[in-house]
């Protein structure tokens, strides 16, 4: 009995291994003989592709026969906007694609965006059970390239991408292209995010400033004075000693954005580092053109020393790094200052204002450095990628779908969120927020009208302009909270407030510092976790007084020794 | 004689379970080979490059490895002890209670924290121990200085263990209560007749009656000697407490965030399994040699 | 039960009662807090203003979770999963436990089988091979995948085995004299006597199947096939801000909605609150030698 069991299971195991491993061997062989002739396609298609390469490839070309595209989809479980009978698989967007391009998009599986979707993707990658196309993030893209699971899109992109799509990529000065190119080949189509996501500003309670007779702090010294006033002078008028000067990260948050997670760090302390021209977590080029890691530079030590001082003086939230929720300090009206990107109007401000209608949160590109300039480290332009599995017969289908999206997005009825469009990655002009903010100001001032803004690349602008007066009261040039009407249309208000208050300042001059690298090198795969742990531990301890400032020097030594030097050399190679 | 015919029946009884076991638990074990490979999903299990013990070497070569292992074992062992003893005491106490309705309600209520996920519980704990939270309020009231609890690496493991015991003691209590019902009541009567008071009866009748269950649960919990509780620690730790709070699983998780470390995660899992298995075998042998008792 | 009327005994009882009630109260507090949060207004919860009483009492999060058709669809899937899971598990684990509780004299392979079980408790190949196996077996997107995916609950089996082993040998001998074979012994003798432990493991199984959400996510293709906890868990998923898109900003206020998270906990506890008191009837006292007491 037992023996027969063994036999059966042995056979089973062999069968399973054959299924999982065998099928991809042929693909691996062809990858290396690729010479740009779409030879990765299944051989039966050879004739068809040769024909196509003869004629001019049409970026919007409708397929003669319906083709099927299976993909995994990220969905928003709270979204109720689909009309009766429509599903994430079958809706106005999927039907449009079918009509115009004759592509039948099928959802193999769907999952809620965030960790659920991530897990499904990771599982699909690890078990080699991939749909035809997917949207993935950087670490997943690299894993898939390494595993040889992706189709080479170089040629398809060259031939089929529309001029608009190519223009989006060009606007990033080659950074996007680099992020999807491995060994000279393009394996994904990158998203192009707005650059404003990476710029962290100072959000401050202007009503407190007014009450205490203060101005928005320009230098670090000013910041300290204002923070102290916020802490000591009871600006919320409740007789209790419960106000916080500067809010900081919560338990599990980031002290500053780093090169791998370079955007949207709310409640961090990024601008304070920037005021010392310190960019911890980023890879920079020094004067000699060599790559260096921002966290080990002397400027960072200076910034840390100042932060340590500020913390000891009670100007920064005492529970930095251990508080349950940083947003609570804002929504509960306890904090006077916090740092974050432009879109705070989406959250936490709505709740903060609901709890406290006079909370007048304004945003500034402050504090300034010793030269009177604002320094912002910038985020990666591409954080999401569309990939196609190796062996799929029509990789250009994905490109055509994106072309269509970019061309026609402004004509869609967006009561059904654009996220339902199959395989949609954001493709925006990197300056979309600033441009829109400027446009809105001009429209409100009466110097321009909607007709002046016709570039369809700014997709939401028409709607923004049409709706702005619903939520903005006169005088239009005063952005204080009393001249807004959030209740009139909460959705519009969130975006309008974020744009006008959060993005307006971005039209000023400021220094943009880019990381030379937004992804990993080889040795990072094995060493980075440890180095990062060292960095996080040391810096937080120094700031909170649990370690002396000179521990920084020991950190630099340890960092270099435990892999930092090797990695720096690799980054240097990459930069060349 | 009777054994042979019964044996056939025993096999039949075991059959459905073992088929289920084979299909779902045993066959997937082939995946353990990943621990010895540089696993490439594109190539599958049998064509990925074999790297022998590299994954294990990597784990042990890091500076932090001794600290991480120590943290893991320290926290896990304390949890094991806490989760063994506290429910036992509680179950015995509850068993002594006479009011059935109250007893049932208490039984149900103490099981409920088990259902609170660590995501929500961590939020509650962070709030309760916050600088202006209830615990510190009480402390200032009685004249002590408030403490930044979660900034303290020295206090962290104890907060972890205590909150975990609080959350899970209801679970083991149920098991003990069920076992208590199988203690022959006449034994209690006999002891009472012999003049034993309440506490004495507990010591001489109740505890011995629970002996096999206690030993069983203790040995089974050895299977978790390297599981210090990822969910809980992940939601509660921060860089200030890494020195006592970073455990094997949180470290593996951070590695996995950067890139998909299949080989490493499986190697770690395998290591945990081997250590647990050895411990269980050893305790089994000890019990059978010295106490002549087969735990299972 | 033994009754003593001395004041010492009464004092003992009273102290006991107070201590137990205190502990129960301590266990109840966070739950109470969670309930209060789930019934509070979103902004108030976001500001941390809720302690033990709802602020801005409303049932919005419950409405949101239960408000659409998918809730009841998933509810039904969970019911199926629990019923099938509890029955299949009960049947198989009890069957397995009987032969394993025999001594090595009666059943030679007993130790081998037992150690195989313990082995599977400790060793496993990880998520990927398990997932691939389930798919190969055709269990993806089926209710049976959810029911069987967790594998044999070895811990439960060991509990039952332990209980069986502790039953007096005299019962066995008496039954054998009566000419009973293993099936009759199991069905008429062991199962009725093991009611407390069987109730216990059934409770564990029910709770497991009701609350399990991860298999519900990876073994299904989408919401139509989600069991309840998987459906609800979607609402409280964490988004990494570093990869956000504009649509996701819009969800920010939803995502930080603590009231939803809290409401989800309560829906998870419902079956326990209903079933556990019912099952407690089986945690009864005593067997007496030579007879079976109900």
């Amino acid at each position: 009995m037992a023996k027969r069991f063994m036999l059966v299971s042995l056979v089973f195991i062999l069968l399973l291994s054959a299924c999982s491993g065998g099928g991809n061997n042929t693909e691996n062989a062809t990858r290396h003989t690729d010479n740009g002739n779409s030879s990765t396609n299944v051989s039966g298609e050879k004739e068809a592709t040769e024909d196509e390469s003869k004629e001019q490839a049409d970026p919007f070309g409708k397929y003669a026969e319906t083709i099927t595209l299976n993909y995994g989809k990220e969905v928003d479980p709270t979204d109720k906007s689909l009309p009766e009978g429509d599903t994430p698989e079958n809706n106005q967007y999927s039907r449009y694609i079918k009509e115009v391009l004759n592509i039948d998009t099928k959802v193999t599986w769907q999952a809620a965006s965030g960790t659920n979707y991530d897990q499904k993707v990771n599982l699909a990658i690890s078990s080699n059970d991939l749909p035809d196309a997917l949207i993935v993030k950087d670490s997943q893209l690299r894993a898939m390239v390494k595993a040889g699971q992706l189709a080479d899109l170089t040629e398809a992109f060259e031939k089929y991408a529309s001029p608009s799509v190519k223009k989006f990529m060009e606007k990033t000065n080659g950074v996007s292209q680099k992020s999807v190119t491995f060994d000279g080949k393009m394996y994904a189509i990158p998203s192009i995010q707005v650059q404003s996501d990476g710029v962290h500003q100072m959000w401050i309670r202007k009503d407190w400033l007014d009450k205490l007779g203060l101005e928005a702090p320009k230098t670090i010294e000013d910041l300290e004075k204002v923070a102290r006033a916020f802490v000591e002078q009871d600006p919320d008028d409740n007789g209790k000693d419960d106000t916080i000067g500067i809010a900081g990260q919560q338990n599990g948050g980031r002290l500053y954005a780093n090169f791998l997670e370079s955007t949207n760090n709310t409640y961090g302390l990024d601008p304070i580092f920037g005021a010392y021209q310190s960019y911890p977590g980023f890879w920079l080029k020094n004067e000699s053109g060599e790559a260096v890691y921002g966290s080990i530079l002397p400027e960072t030590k200076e910034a840390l020393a100042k932060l340590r001082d500020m913390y000891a003086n009670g100007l920064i939230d005492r529970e930095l790094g251990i508080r349950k929720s940083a947003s609570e300090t804002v929504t509960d009206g306890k904090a006077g200052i916090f740092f974050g990107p432009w879109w705070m109007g989406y959250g936490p401000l709505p709740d903060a204002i609901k709890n406290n209608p006079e909370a007048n949160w304004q945003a500034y590109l402050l504090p300034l450095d010793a030269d009177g300039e604002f320094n912002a480290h910038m985020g990666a332009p591409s954080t999401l990628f569309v990939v196609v599995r190796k062996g799929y017969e029509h990789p250009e289908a994905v490109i055509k779908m994106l072309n269509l999206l970019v061309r026609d997005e402004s004509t869609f009825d967006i009561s059904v969120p654009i996220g339902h469009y199959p395989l949609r990655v954001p493709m925006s002009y990197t300056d979309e927020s600033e441009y829109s903010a400027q446009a809105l100001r001009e429209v409100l001032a009466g110097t321009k009208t909607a007709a002046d803004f016709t570039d369809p690349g700014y997709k939401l602008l028409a709607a923004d302009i049409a709706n702005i007066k619903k939520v903005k009261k006169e005088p239009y040039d005063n952005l204080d909270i009393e001249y807004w009407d959030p209740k009139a249309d909460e959705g519009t208000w969130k975006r309008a407030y974020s744009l006008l208050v959060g993005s307006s300042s971005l039209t000023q001059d400021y220094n943009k510092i880019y990381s030379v690298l937004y992804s990993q090198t080889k040795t990072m795969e094995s060493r980075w976790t440890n180095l990062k742990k060292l960095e996080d531990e040391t810096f937080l301890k120094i700031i909170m007084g649990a370690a002396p400032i000179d521990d920084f020097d020991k950190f630099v030594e340890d960092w270099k020794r435990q892999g930092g030097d090797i990695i720096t050399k690799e980054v240097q190679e990459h930069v060349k | 004689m009777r054994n042979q015919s019964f044996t056939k029946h025993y096999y039949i009884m075991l059959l459905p379970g073992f088929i289920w076991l084979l299909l779902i638990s045993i066959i997937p074990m082939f995946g353990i080979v990943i621990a010895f490979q540089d696993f490439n999903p594109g190539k599958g299990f049998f064509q990925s490059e074999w790297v022998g013990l590299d994954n294990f070497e990597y784990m042990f070569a890091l500076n932090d490895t001794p600290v991480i292992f120590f943290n893991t074992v320290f926290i896990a062992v304390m949890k094991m002890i806490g989760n063994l003893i506290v429910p036992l005491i509680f179950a015995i106490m509850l068993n002594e209670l006479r009011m059935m309705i109250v007893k049932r309600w208490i039984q149900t209520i103490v099981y409920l924290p088990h259902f609170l996920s660590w995501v929500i519980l961590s939020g509650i704990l962070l709030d309760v121990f916050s600088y202006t939270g209830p615990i510190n309020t009480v402390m200032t009231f009685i004249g002590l200085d408030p403490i930044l609890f979660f900034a303290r690496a020295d206090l962290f493991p104890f907060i972890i263990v205590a909150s975990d015991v609080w959350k899970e003691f209801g679970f083991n209590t149920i098991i003990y209560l069920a076992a208590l019902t199988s203690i022959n009541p006449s034994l209690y009567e006999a002891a009472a007749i012999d003049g034993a008071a309440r506490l004495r009866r507990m010591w001489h009748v109740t505890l011995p009656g629970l002996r096999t269950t206690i030993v069983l649960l203790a040995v089974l919990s050895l299977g978790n000697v390297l599981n210090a509780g990822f969910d809980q620690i992940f939601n509660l730790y921060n860089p200030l407490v890494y020195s006592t709070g970073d455990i094997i699983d949180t470290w593996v998780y951070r590695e996995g965030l950067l890139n998909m470390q299949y080989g490493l995660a499986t190697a770690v899992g395998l290591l945990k399994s081997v250590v647990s298995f050895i411990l269980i075998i050893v305790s089994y042998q000890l019990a059978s040699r010295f106490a002549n008792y087969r735990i299972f | 039960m033994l009754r003593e009327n001395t004041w010492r005994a009464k004092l003992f009882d009273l102290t006991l009662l107070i201590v137990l009630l205190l502990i129960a109260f301590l266990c109840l507090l966070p739950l109470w807090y969670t309930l209060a949060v789930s019934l509070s207004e979103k902004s108030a919860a976001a500001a941390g203003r809720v302690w033990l009483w709802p602020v801005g009492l409303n049932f919005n999060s419950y409405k949101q979770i239960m408000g659409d058709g998918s809730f009841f669809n998933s509810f039904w899937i969970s019911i199926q999963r629990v019923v099938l899971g509890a029955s299949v598990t009960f049947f198989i684990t009890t069957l397995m436990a009987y032969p394993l509780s025999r001594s090595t004299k009666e059943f030679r392979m007993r130790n081998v089988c037992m150690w195989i079980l313990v082995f599977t408790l400790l060793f496993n190949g990880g998520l990927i091979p398990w997932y691939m196996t389930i798919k190969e077996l055709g269990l993806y997107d089926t209710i049976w995948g959810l029911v069987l995916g967790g594998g044999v609950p070895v811990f439960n089996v060991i509990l039952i085995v332990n209980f069986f082993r502790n039953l007096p040998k005299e019962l066995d001998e008496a039954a054998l004299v009566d000419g009973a074979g293993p099936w009759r012994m199991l069905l008429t003798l062991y199962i009725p006597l093991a009611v407390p432990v069987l109730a216990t493991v059934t409770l564990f199984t029910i709770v497991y199947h009701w609350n399990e959400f991860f298999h519900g996510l990876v073994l299904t293709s989408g919401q139509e096939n989600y069991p309840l906890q998987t459906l609800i868990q979607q609402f409280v998923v964490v988004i990494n801000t570093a990869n956000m898109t504009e649509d996701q900003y819009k969800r920010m206020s939803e995502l930080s909605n603590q009231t939803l998270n809290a409401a989800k906990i309560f829906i998870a506890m419902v079956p326990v609150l209903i079933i556990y008191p019912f099952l407690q009837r089986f945690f009864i006292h005593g067997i007496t030698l030579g007879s079976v007491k109900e």
Side-chain angles (χ1 to χ4, degrees), chain A residues 473-499:
Chain A
K473 306 196 283 214
E474 292 193 341
Y476 292 134
D477 57 346
N478 190 327
L479 298 176
D480 286 350
I481 188 65
E482 46 195 292
Y483 306 115
W484 288 89
D485 188 6
K487 296 206 181 69
D489 182 344
E490 218 178 292
T492 306
W493 180 84
K494 287 177 179 173
R495 181 168 165 81
Y497 196 86
S498 300
L499 282 176

Side-chain angles (χ1 to χ4, degrees), chain C residues 170-223:
Chain C
E170 294 84 357
L171 288 170
D172 268 19
E173 283 157 20
L176 279 171
V177 161
D178 282 349
W183 294 94
R184 237 182 79 190
M185 283 223 273
L186 174 63
L187 288 169
T188 60
L189 200 60
Y190 278 78
I191 289 186
L193 288 176
V195 156
V197 80
L198 292 178
T200 307
V201 300
T202 304
L203 177 69
F204 291 163
T205 311
I206 291 177
V207 164
Y208 165 73
H209 277 298
W210 180 259
N211 283 333
E212 203 288 322
F213 73 90
F214 188 66
H215 293 186
L217 173 68
V218 300
L219 293 183
T220 58
S221 60
Q223 205 170 284

